[in-house]
Amino acid sequence: NDIQIGEFQKKIATENYILVDVRTAEEYTEGYLEGALNIDYFSATFSDEITNIGLEKPVLVYCRSGNRSGKSMRIMSDLGFKEVYNLIGGIKGWKAKNNRLIKE
């Protein structure tokens, strides 16, 4: 379920998805997608935190380049998530296409 930026944007626009940023808190504050939850892939409690959002809800996940989010997607599938999509190229690809980020 790796998807390109255009398809990711269409899914965000439907508002039926939970958006999850699996980068570190430091990376997150540098710029993130509007409405994204930050759940750090490297956190010892990642599986517990990600499960708390609900296994039945469709999820869009991204990281810096697509690597951690791809791994997160596999973990989420193993945990029983029904629908998870990973942004190919991550936030780097998103920025390269001049898409908007929220900065704190």
Side-chain angles (χ1 to χ4, degrees):
N1 286 342
D2 293 321
I3 60 175
Q4 298 289 343
I5 290 171
E7 191 175 346
F8 200 84
Q9 287 171 312
K10 286 178 193 168
K11 290 186 181 303
I12 289 172
T14 68
E15 298 180 6
N16 295 331
Y17 293 86
I18 294 178
L19 189 56
V20 178
D21 182 324
V22 296
R23 298 175 301 153
T24 64
E26 293 78 23
E27 289 173 302
Y28 182 80
T29 59
E30 292 169 6
Y32 56 91
L33 304 186
E34 186 173 4
L37 299 172
N38 182 219
I39 303 176
D40 185 350
Y41 172 79
F42 294 118
S43 167
T45 58
F46 176 77
S47 292
D48 292 333
E49 289 182 61
I50 205 81
T51 303
N52 285 339
I53 65 176
L55 301 177
E56 299 297 323
K57 297 177 182 164
V59 179
L60 298 170
V61 63
Y62 70 92
C63 64
R64 187 179 65 84
S65 66
N67 185 31
R68 281 175 279 177
S69 53
K71 291 175 182 176
S72 297
M73 184 174 62
R74 288 187 281 288
I75 290 168
M76 292 167 75
S77 179
D78 290 345
L79 288 169
F81 278 82
K82 305 287 184 249
E83 190 177 353
V84 182
Y85 298 95
N86 172 40
L87 176 60
I88 294 171
I91 204 88
K92 284 172 63 178
W94 183 267
K95 285 196 299 194
K97 298 282 186 191
N98 293 316
N99 289 304
R100 187 168 165 260
L101 291 176
I102 304 295
K103 295 190 178 184
E104 293 184 355

